[in-house]
Amino acid sequence: MVFSTTLPAVQGNARLASGGLAEEIERLRAEPAEGHIAIGGAALAAEAAALGLIDEYRARVYPVLVGGGIPFFAQSERRVDLELAETRIFSSRVVYLRYRVAR
């Protein structure tokens, strides 16, 4: 699923979204398929979070301080409580964190 305001078409196995984010996520959830819906891109993820469409957050923390950049999570008036579901530490010292949204 590709969300774009500039592309007239997409190639391969991709499909260009015709509706809004909430509508398309509900359409994907209704399809009889296994797996997860992954959202890439900070702006799209922030919109999905604001709409309450995210069930899990999967973060990777890299052992580097950069002192600036895009915030990890966009500022929001809405508080989201999370439950830790899984952690892993890789040999590269990257830490993987998986949180479920507490509902």
Side-chain angles (χ1 to χ4, degrees), residues 8-83:
V10 293
Q11 297 178 348
N13 198 20
R15 179 166 55 104
L16 189 61
S18 59
L21 181 60
E23 178 185 343
E24 293 294 346
I25 294 290
E26 290 307 314
R27 186 178 301 157
L28 287 170
R29 285 180 172 165
E31 290 179 3
E34 291 187 31
H36 302 281
I37 300 169
I39 299 173
L44 194 61
E47 183 181 350
L51 292 170
L53 299 173
I54 297 178
D55 298 322
E56 281 190 358
Y57 288 89
R58 297 178 181 200
R60 288 152 189 87
V61 180
Y62 292 81
V64 175
L65 297 176
V66 295
I70 297 171
F72 201 67
F73 296 105
Q75 278 191 307
S76 173
E77 297 293 323
R78 189 173 74 93
R79 177 186 166 113
V80 178
D81 293 318
L82 304 174
E83 299 170 347

